[in-house]
């Protein structure tokens, strides 16, 4: 697809001039006034920021302790600060932010590595080196993103910076050539693809940022032609891993680094080739990739999540809106507009977004988004959908939202969650998927499934004869059958293959139904290979505390004041409060979460959720 189009392009590249530079004052003066004022206010909070150095021992902290947050907090804050200062100077044009900008540029250029310590290796899934080799830079997600940040800063401010000293922009040019352009063409990193290795968001995220940096900064036509060709080949490898249905197998949070980066790469390619790639926006897979994020949206800040994805996956905004616009999806455009408006300053300013280019997109598209919000606020129609490539089933009515994860236990960023259910009521989480804690050295190691959040026992699933699900493509749902209707949606699957043979289960069928306007029904049916080993312990994960009533024929569980579970065929084992002490989990879970464990008394249990 992309490779073929790149081979058919035989003209010179157009100048990549996506947005005005600081010198184009008439265009900057037309930027949304609220955006300008708040951007300046944000940058003022960084006026005294010192851009700290990152030491060798800071870098080694990851290999020594497994902690990556201490280094990353410093690393990313420097980029947040530089991006904020650059845009404020463009908006105000007073010169009062330029010293901070110069300090930020030099501080980042003086870092020994732009890659993160957990990514400091040359071969996939091999141990990280404790320190970087400055003669052999590693191109990871954030080395490539740093390149885009510095190239955008230079593009916007070169006239002003050159008045101070020509050595500021020449320093950026030197570092981009040494750290990005040369290794990009001369070293194979796994994310570039070779037709054999599985790809993930790294491929398109890195490729998009290399394209942004290259076409904003490089004047070497031979390099640009080679980078253009190589990028298009990598994008094809990325798309080869995607199902035609467009589902992101890493979840809604990673859509921003997968689907939206595909959009970003397409925008650059079209801009420099005068629309040579624009027909790809009409391709079914591209349209489906674009609309995934709207389909995965529950309500407000919540999205259906699985694997490492958080249920609070970040608000949609300008990039989602533009992707919807390019693919001709007016409902998604409206969804993105509404989510952008509800997101307030977080979506307007993107204060925790290190990519300066994304923030620049906001500046010049926010007026269009605000105008559309004023014109059209009609209700969005969300549809029920099944994504066969991942096994994701989504159905909803006016009150209840049901998601079921079929598929297998080999997703990128996988958790052992095949068959798990997620339920929202009135837009609030009732049965939850916890997500993941802060990444550490253990997260992407052979000990990954020792982490509690990765285990099936901490999803809405049973532990069978003491055995949890295992990871791998062979641990999967089979015989999946689903249907959607105006009054009922349903999915059924065989889950015995998601468990190891030692679990002693011949058949485990889960049926999930949404009786629209009424309730959700989850029925589990077990057939054991040995009648002397027939124990299933069902875990139910909730955000709200539960009150259990065992005085009736059915077990009644009230989940806070949100909803009620009426359960047949079980007895209560225990309710465990799980404190939320991790800063990543605390973004979505502001207090303890709860695991209720139920013993399945016979071979069948039924949960009625209302």
């Amino acid at each position: 697809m992309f490779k073929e189009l790149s081979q058919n392009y035989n003209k010179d590249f157009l100048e990549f001039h996506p947005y005005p530079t600081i010198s184009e004052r008439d265009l900057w003066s037309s930027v949304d006034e609220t955006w300008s004022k708040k951007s300046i206010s944000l940058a003022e909070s960084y006026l005294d920021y010192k851009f700290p150095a990152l030491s060798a021992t800071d870098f080694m902290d990851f290999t020594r302790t497994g902690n990556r947050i201490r280094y990353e907090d410093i690393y990313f804050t420097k980029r947040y600060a530089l991006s904020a200062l650059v845009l404020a100077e463009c908006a105000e044009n007073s010169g009062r932010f330029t010293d901070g900008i110069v300090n930020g540029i030099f501080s980042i250029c003086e870092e020994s590595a732009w890659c993160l310590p957990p990514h400091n290796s040359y071969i996939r899934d091999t141990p990280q080196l404790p320190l970087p080799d400055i003669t052999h830079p590693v191109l990871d997600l954030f080395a490539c993103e740093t390149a885009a940040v510095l190239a955008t800063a230079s593009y916007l401010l070169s006239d002003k910076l050159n008045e101070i000293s020509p050595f500021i922009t020449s320093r950026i040019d030197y570092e981009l050539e040494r750290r990005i352009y040369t290794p990009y063409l001369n070293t194979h990193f796994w994310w570039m693809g070779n037709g054999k290795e599985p790809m993930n968001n790294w491929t398109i995220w890195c490729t998009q940022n290399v394209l942004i940096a290259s076409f904003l900064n490089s004047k070497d036509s031979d390099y640009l032609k080679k980078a253009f060709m190589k990028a298009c080949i990598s994008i094809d490898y990325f798309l080869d891993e995607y199902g035609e249905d467009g589902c992101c197998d890493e979840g809604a949070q990673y859509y921003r680094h997968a689907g939206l980066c595909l959009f970003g790469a397409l925008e650059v390619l079209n801009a420099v080739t005068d629309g040579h790639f624009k027909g790809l926006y009409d391709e079914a897979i591209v349209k489906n990739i674009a609309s995934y994020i709207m389909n995965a949206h529950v309500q407000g800040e919540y999205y259906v999540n699985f694997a490492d994805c958080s249920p609070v996956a970040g608000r949609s905004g300008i990039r989602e809106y533009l992707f919807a616009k390019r693919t001709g999806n007016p409902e998604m455009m409206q969804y993105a507009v509404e989510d952008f408006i509800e997101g307030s300053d977080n979506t307007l300013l993107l204060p925790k977004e290190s990519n300066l280019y994304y923030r620049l997109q906001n500046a010049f598209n926010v007026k269009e988004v605000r105008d559309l919000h004023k014109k059209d606020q009609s209700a969005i129609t969300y549809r029920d959908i099944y994504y066969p490539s991942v096994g994701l089933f989504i159905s909803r009515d006016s009150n209840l939202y049901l998601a079921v994860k079929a598929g297998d236990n080999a997703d990128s960023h996988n958790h052992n969650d095949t068959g798990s259910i997620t339920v929202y009521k009135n837009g609030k989480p009732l049965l939850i998927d916890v997500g993941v804690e802060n990444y550490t050295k253990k997260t992407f190691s052979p000990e990954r499934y020792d982490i509690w959040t990765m285990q099936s026992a901490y999803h809405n699933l049973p532990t069978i004869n003491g055995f949890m699900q295992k990871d791998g493509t062979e641990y999967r749902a089979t015989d999946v059958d689903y249907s959607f209707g105006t009054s009922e949606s349903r999915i059924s699957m065989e889950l015995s293959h998601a468990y190891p043979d030692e679990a002693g289960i011949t058949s485990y069928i889960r049926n999930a139904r949404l009786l629209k306007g009424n309730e959700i029904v989850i029925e589990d049916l077990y057939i054991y290979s040995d009648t002397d080993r027939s124990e299933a312990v069902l875990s139910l994960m909730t955000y709200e505390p539960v009150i259990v009533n065992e005085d009736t024929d059915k077990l009644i569980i009230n989940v806070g004041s949100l909803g009620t579970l009426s359960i047949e065929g079980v007895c209560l084992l225990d309710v465990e409060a799980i404190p939320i002490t991790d800063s990543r989990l605390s973004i979505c879970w502001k207090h303890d979460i709860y695991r209720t464990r139920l013993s399945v008394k016979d071979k069948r249990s039924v949960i009625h959720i209302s």
Side-chain angles (χ1 to χ4, degrees), residues 179-318:
R179 296 180 191 247
I180 303 297
Y181 305 153
T182 297
Y184 182 68
L185 291 187
N186 295 293
T187 304
H188 177 77
F189 295 95
W190 67 264
W191 56 262
M192 295 173 173
N194 59 12
K196 301 174 184 177
E197 296 177 281
M199 301 290 95
N200 60 17
N201 67 72
W202 278 58
T203 301
I204 195 66
W205 194 355
C206 292
T207 300
Q208 172 211 245
N209 282 313
V210 169
L211 286 170
I212 290 171
S214 298
F215 281 100
L216 281 180
N217 175 265
S218 179
K219 304 299 187 290
D220 184 337
S221 60
D222 184 57
Y223 162 75
L224 289 175
K225 184 175 181 180
K226 291 176 180 177
F228 169 80
M229 294 292 295
K230 187 166 188 174
C232 288
I233 292 169
S234 289
I235 297 171
D236 277 344
Y237 285 135
F238 167 75
L239 287 174
D240 285 345
E241 297 289 317
Y242 244 88
E244 185 74 10
D245 58 23
C247 187
C248 181
D249 76 344
E250 298 170 290
Q253 199 168 12
Y254 290 89
Y255 167 88
R256 274 69 193 236
H257 311 310
L260 285 188
C261 288
L262 173 66
F263 162 71
L266 263 169
E267 290 291 278
V268 177
L269 294 172
N270 276 314
V272 301
T273 63
D274 194 24
H276 186 67
F277 293 78
K278 66 182 179 181
L280 295 183
Y281 280 125
D282 294 324
E283 292 288 332
I285 188 172
V286 176
K287 285 177 172 287
N288 290 338
I289 288 172
S291 62
Y292 164 79
I293 193 65
M294 181 179 74
N295 294 330
H297 185 232
V298 179
Q299 189 172 316
E301 65 180 349
Y302 292 114
Y303 289 80
V304 62
N305 67 303
F306 54 89
D308 277 354
C309 181
S310 169
V312 179
R315 294 282 190 173
S316 290
I318 298 297

Side-chain angles (χ1 to χ4, degrees), residues 437-575:
E437 295 174 312
N438 282 312
Y439 288 163
T440 67
K441 191 174 184 179
K442 189 175 183 178
T443 308
F444 301 102
S445 77
E447 291 79 43
R448 177 178 177 86
Y449 296 99
D450 294 341
I451 301 172
W452 67 278
T453 58
M454 316 294 185
Q455 298 173 349
S456 59
Y458 290 89
H459 290 79
N460 298 305
L461 287 165
T463 298
I464 300 174
N465 288 321
F467 288 90
M468 296 184 290
Q469 292 186 3
K470 292 195 69 175
D471 60 292
T473 53
E474 67 270 35
Y475 297 100
R476 60 187 302 112
T478 60
D479 302 322
V480 178
D481 185 51
Y482 67 93
S483 65
F484 298 113
T486 56
S487 60
E488 177 181 339
S489 298
R490 53 169 292 278
I491 184 171
S492 66
M493 67 198 78
E494 171 64 68
L495 292 173
S496 59
H497 301 292
Y499 292 81
D501 292 341
E502 294 85 349
I505 188 75
T506 301
S507 176
Y508 165 38
I509 295 174
R510 170 160 279 184
N511 297 297
R513 294 184 294 152
L514 170 58
L515 307 178
K516 297 190 174 183
N518 188 9
E519 64 176 1
I520 291 170
V521 181
I522 310 297
E523 179 186 40
D524 288 344
L525 301 169
Y526 304 86
I527 299 176
Y528 299 95
S529 57
D530 183 349
T531 56
D532 293 331
R533 297 175 65 240
S534 57
E535 179 189 47
V537 175
L538 178 61
S539 296
L540 296 177
M541 306 297 298
T542 64
Y543 182 36
E544 301 301 333
V546 300
I547 299 174
V548 182
N549 182 353
E550 298 183 87
D551 295 335
T552 65
D553 293 338
K554 298 178 182 179
L555 190 72
I556 305 298
I557 300 177
N558 291 310
V559 183
S561 59
L562 183 60
T564 299
L565 310 182
S566 174
I567 311 177
E568 304 169 24
V570 301
C571 60
L572 177 68
L573 290 179
D574 53 52
V575 178

